[in-house]
Amino acid sequence: MTNPFFTASTLPFGLPPFAEIADEHYRPGFDKGFTEQLAEVERIVTSDDAPTFENTLLPLERSGRVLDRVSAVFYNQSSAHSSEFTNDLEEEIAPLYAAHRDAILLDDRLFARIVAVNGQLDDLDLDPESRYLVERYHAEFTIAGAGLSDDDKATLRDLNSRLSSLTTRFEKNLLADTNDLTIVIDDVAELDGLGEGEISAAAQAAADRGLEGKYLVTLVLPTGHPYLSSLTDRRVRERIMTASRVRGGRDNEFDNRDLVLEITRLRAERARLLGFDSHAAYVTADQTAKTPQNVVDMLGTLAPIAARNARAEQQALQNLAGEPIESWDWAFYSEKVRKATYDVDTAAMRPYFEAERALHDGVFFAATRLYGITFAERPDLVAYHPDARVFEVSNDDGSPLGLYVYDLYTRDSKRGGAWMNPLISQSELLGTPTVVVNNLNVPKPAPGSPTLLSYDELTTLFHEFGHALHGLFSRVTYPKFAGTNVFRDFVEFPSQVNEMWMLWPEVLANYAVHVETGEPMPQELVDKLHASSAFNEGFETSSYLAAALLDQAWHALSAEDAVTDVAGFESAALANVGLDNPAVPTRYSSTYFAHTFSGGYDAGYYSYIWSEVLDADTVEWFKENGGLTRSNGDRFRSLLLGVGGSKDPLEAFREFRGRDAELGPLLKRRGL
């Protein structure tokens, strides 16, 4: 049987033929993909013709089709439905992939041709996207070390290989330790405060592990857990928070502390080799932030205000509790204060946020009203897991747009958090459409029980769908610029904008219906929800900024800085910025900070709030211009979502907004 990765899929939109893909296809797929792309690059660099856009950049963009197919499917599988096989193969492939990337980025002959084309730009008749393609390749090859000496390149290759293996091990350790720390509950009385659906999900999770009659609370990726706001048993809350905080740091086989130290040290060495003072300087040099100082200046301005607000919130909680507030108490008592102050009980909202209705009558409905697109489920198309569902997306004229794969539920084989990734990226050059995946981690209730989303899970659904729209709407020529292939500190902007529609009156009224009575969410409750929108923002902003500044602290280290104590370094870093309040833990501690030590956001976790400046300003624009209208959606789609990474993102924002973003809307939103 032919390896399904060797040829393009014949399924609708090129959906990978998951029913035909078996474990034994992956390694041969990678091997052929590596070999084939290097041969394609070799043909470019051995050409006797003088370098041109047509004989250098275009074939480079066309190269690597087999590798793209196998890597998109494999890395989706390893994150969404991993196994011992995928874990082993990922560790095996990681250094090979790093070496393959270096073989291209550090090829003197290829770099010389790109430099030559870049030097001719003013004399070439190129459209803006093609010109930008040359500029981006030149910048990326330069920063990656293409101009280094042969000896330095050998050192760089070794560093990249080691780092790829270490970050892969970090991710696998985290998943294993997270699963190992699952909280087993013997008596349902200990789950007092949870709703019927949450208890059902805990019972089902226990049954799935062969623990009949017990209940399992699986950990989520950030510090804490959604259940902490509802559980009345303080001992159970403490167990959950303690388990959440110790991941990756328990002196067991999954301990990540040595990996944190080694990863940061090697990243600092690589940055020095490439001519940068730190890894943070290396990363931000090719982002919109430009320098780590710009990042620290912004975050440092917000940190003391957020910490002050958090202390005021903490005092209010302690007044209610009558005793000091610990980290496992914060969510529980903040809900009581929210209810007492605003008469808002977010736990009581769950029956209004049934998952299927939220998807169709909320997320899809808003997208249809804004952009005219429609969604039709395709049960005939098989995805990579029975829980993953495939939807065909069409434009308002019936023309095809792409496929959307929706994978809602948590499972032991899925890494924590929520994300979007493309299985196929749109490109006019390659004639490829778009297939994108959204993964969430919502506990799955027992069969027959409805899935009721928490307020945060609902927000996440709208957020991740914003990433999906960014991929679906891409209309670019070159695969390099498709969809979310933008600067890292810009990529969260479209997804954050999409969160606004969750509470938009027209959208909320369409999906927020009680799962049992069919009654709409009372307007009074909606009004109170809006009135409380800035509530607890001191905690939320402090927790986020603590993680973002911790990320910066690790990656501000030079190659000579000797750190041996992970916990000590983290404590000092948070104390230095005034965010060391034990009741307000950082959103991610170092040993389970997947974003920065395995997830591609190293020295870039600041991106969320950096992008939120653009997001908050854009929300103001929508409000000023009539909100949920096709004309507004079409403008946002054409000027921002559709361009992908094919132009400077801040230039695209200025074209959309008519000016640079202003900080005021963000400060107002976060109560700062």
Side-chain angles (χ1 to χ4, degrees):
M1 179 179 174
T2 303
N3 190 310
F5 293 121
F6 290 176
T7 56
S9 170
T10 58
L11 291 174
F13 298 91
L15 179 73
F18 290 106
E20 300 174 16
I21 295 172
D23 287 351
E24 60 264 24
H25 294 137
Y26 286 113
R27 182 56 199 262
F30 276 112
D31 289 341
K32 182 177 177 64
F34 292 147
T35 301
E36 184 177 274
Q37 187 171 29
L38 291 180
E40 291 165 335
V41 170
E42 189 67 18
R43 285 195 290 273
I44 296 171
V45 299
T46 55
S47 170
D48 293 331
D49 297 329
T52 65
F53 180 84
E54 290 74 16
N55 67 21
T56 301
L57 279 302
L58 287 185
L60 187 56
E61 278 293 276
R62 290 192 176 102
S63 70
R65 296 305 99 212
V66 170
L67 185 58
D68 282 351
R69 284 195 290 270
V70 66
S71 59
V73 173
F74 176 74
Y75 288 111
N76 177 77
Q77 189 78 12
S78 67
S79 58
H81 190 39
S82 64
S83 64
E84 184 177 353
F85 168 81
T86 62
N87 291 342
D88 291 344
L89 182 58
E90 187 167 6
E91 289 201 44
E92 183 182 322
I93 288 295
L96 300 179
Y97 215 124
H100 175 76
R101 184 173 181 272
D102 284 343
I104 296 173
L105 286 172
L106 303 182
D107 189 312
D108 291 336
R109 302 164 299 169
L110 182 57
F111 184 50
R113 294 182 73 89
I114 292 171
V115 169
V117 177
N118 187 66
Q120 304 166 17
L121 273 181
D122 290 339
D123 300 322
L124 299 177
D125 183 22
L126 297 179
D127 61 84
E129 184 181 347
S130 298
R131 181 185 179 97
Y132 193 58
L133 182 72
V134 178
E135 293 170 344
R136 290 305 306 146
Y137 265 115
H138 184 262
E140 290 175 13
F141 270 65
T142 301
I143 290 175
L148 294 177
S149 68
D150 288 344
D151 287 345
D152 284 345
K153 283 182 179 179
T155 302
L156 180 60
R157 289 187 180 96
D158 179 60
L159 289 170
N160 286 340
S161 176
R162 292 160 66 189
L163 280 166
S164 68
S165 296
L166 293 171
T167 54
T168 299
R169 281 176 51 201
F170 183 99
E171 181 180 337
K172 302 311 171 189
N173 283 353
L174 176 55
L175 177 60
D177 213 32
T178 298
N179 287 336
D180 192 52
L181 282 162
T182 298
I183 309 300
V184 181
I185 303 294
D186 296 320
D187 186 352
V188 70
E190 295 181 87
L191 298 179
D192 179 61
L194 297 187
E196 182 180 337
E198 294 158 308
I199 293 174
S200 171
Q204 184 65 46
D208 290 343
R209 288 203 190 182
L211 300 173
E212 297 290 345
K214 297 183 184 295
Y215 305 85
L216 274 185
V217 178
T218 54
L219 300 180
V220 298
L221 187 54
T223 300
H225 196 284
Y227 291 175
L228 295 179
S229 63
S230 304
L231 288 165
T232 61
D233 191 321
R234 193 177 191 229
R235 294 167 301 175
V236 175
R237 296 202 306 266
E238 183 178 1
R239 286 178 63 193
I240 293 172
M241 179 60 80
T242 300
S244 180
R245 295 299 310 275
V246 300
R247 282 174 291 177
R250 297 193 293 150
D251 287 317
N252 62 5
E253 60 184 308
F254 311 129
D255 196 304
N256 273 334
R257 286 175 291 186
D258 287 344
L259 291 179
V260 168
L261 296 175
E262 185 71 357
I263 289 169
T264 52
R265 184 181 68 80
L266 294 181
R267 284 174 175 169
E269 284 187 19
R270 181 176 62 184
R272 180 177 61 183
L273 182 67
L274 292 169
F276 295 93
D277 293 334
S278 66
H279 183 69
Y282 161 68
V283 168
T284 54
D286 200 33
Q287 302 294 325
T288 67
K290 299 304 179 187
T291 70
Q293 191 60 51
N294 288 338
V295 174
V296 172
D297 285 348
M298 178 191 172
L299 302 188
T301 299
L302 301 177
I305 309 171
R308 180 195 65 205
N309 288 4
R311 287 192 296 271
E313 293 165 0
Q314 185 176 2
Q315 187 59 55
L317 301 186
Q318 291 182 167
N319 291 343
L320 177 64
E323 61 182 348
I325 292 293
E326 302 289 351
S327 59
W328 50 86
D329 299 318
W330 191 292
F332 182 75
Y333 283 104
S334 66
E335 283 305 302
K336 289 185 175 295
V337 171
R338 189 196 308 268
K339 188 171 183 179
T341 305
Y342 300 100
D343 195 21
V344 171
D345 182 357
T346 56
M349 294 181 186
R350 277 184 179 268
Y352 294 101
F353 300 152
E354 192 273 320
E356 195 68 4
R357 182 146 193 162
L359 177 69
H360 286 276
D361 298 339
V363 171
F364 289 172
F365 171 79
T368 300
R369 295 302 298 267
L370 269 175
Y371 309 112
I373 59 177
T374 55
F375 303 82
E377 188 157 8
R378 293 289 304 269
D380 58 309
L381 297 179
V382 177
Y384 53 88
H385 187 276
D387 286 343
R389 300 157 59 188
V390 182
F391 295 84
E392 182 171 342
V393 190
S394 302
N395 288 304
D396 60 352
D397 61 0
S399 60
L401 185 59
L403 293 180
Y404 170 67
V405 183
Y406 172 68
D407 190 352
L408 179 65
Y409 294 115
T410 190
R411 47 185 173 265
D412 287 350
S413 61
K414 184 190 286 190
R415 68 174 170 86
W419 64 94
M420 169 272 192
N421 58 281
L423 289 174
I424 302 176
S425 295
Q426 176 272 333
S427 164
E428 297 294 339
L429 180 70
L430 303 179
T432 50
T434 306
V435 179
V436 296
V437 181
N438 268 169
N439 263 286
L440 285 81
N441 266 287
V442 175
K444 188 176 185 179
S449 299
T451 301
L452 304 181
L453 303 178
S454 70
Y455 186 80
D456 286 343
E457 288 166 344
L458 183 65
T459 303
T460 299
L461 175 57
F462 274 84
H463 176 98
E464 295 303 331
F465 190 73
H467 285 306
L469 289 175
H470 202 179
L472 286 165
F473 286 151
S474 174
R475 284 299 171 267
V476 298
T477 301
Y478 306 110
K480 186 176 187 62
F481 294 144
T484 54
N485 290 334
V486 297
F487 290 139
R488 186 191 300 164
D489 57 10
F490 185 82
V491 73
E492 297 299 334
F493 161 56
S495 54
Q496 289 170 331
V497 168
N498 203 62
E499 293 177 26
M500 107 170 85
W501 307 117
M502 183 180 84
L503 294 182
W504 199 264
E506 186 179 351
V507 179
L508 188 69
N510 200 58
Y511 75 86
V513 175
H514 197 283
V515 69
E516 294 177 356
T517 67
E519 293 294 317
M521 181 181 284
Q523 185 59 44
E524 179 185 15
L525 183 56
V526 177
D527 293 340
K528 291 173 181 176
L529 193 58
H530 282 291
S532 67
S533 61
F535 174 76
N536 209 41
E537 275 298 330
F539 176 93
E540 296 293 345
T541 307
S542 294
S543 177
Y544 165 76
L545 290 175
L549 286 163
L550 176 62
D551 174 37
Q552 289 297 307
W554 278 117
H555 294 114
L557 294 173
S558 71
E560 287 74 28
D561 290 324
V563 178
T564 58
D565 179 4
V566 172
F569 179 85
E570 179 172 314
S571 296
L574 297 180
N576 286 341
V577 293
L579 295 173
D580 54 341
N581 185 343
V584 188
T586 172
R587 186 174 293 181
Y588 301 100
S589 280
S590 305
T591 55
Y592 55 92
F593 204 161
H595 280 80
T596 196
F597 290 113
S598 64
Y601 275 71
D602 40 292
Y605 193 62
Y606 74 91
S607 301
Y608 288 88
I609 204 160
W610 192 269
S611 296
E612 195 179 347
V613 175
L614 306 177
D615 153 41
D617 203 19
T618 299
V619 170
E620 291 300 306
W621 180 90
F622 271 98
K623 290 178 179 178
E624 293 165 2
N625 289 275
L628 190 77
T629 68
R630 272 299 302 279
S631 60
N632 286 346
D634 288 346
R635 178 177 175 84
F636 190 60
R637 174 178 178 173
S638 65
L639 297 181
L640 279 168
L641 300 181
V643 302
S646 64
K647 65 192 305 183
D648 181 276
L650 296 185
E651 179 186 330
F653 180 85
R654 281 190 291 271
E655 187 175 355
F656 167 78
R657 190 68 170 100
R659 57 167 173 76
D660 290 328
E662 296 177 352
L663 188 59
L666 171 68
L667 299 178
K668 180 180 178 181
R669 171 191 288 183
R670 287 186 170 260
L672 301 178

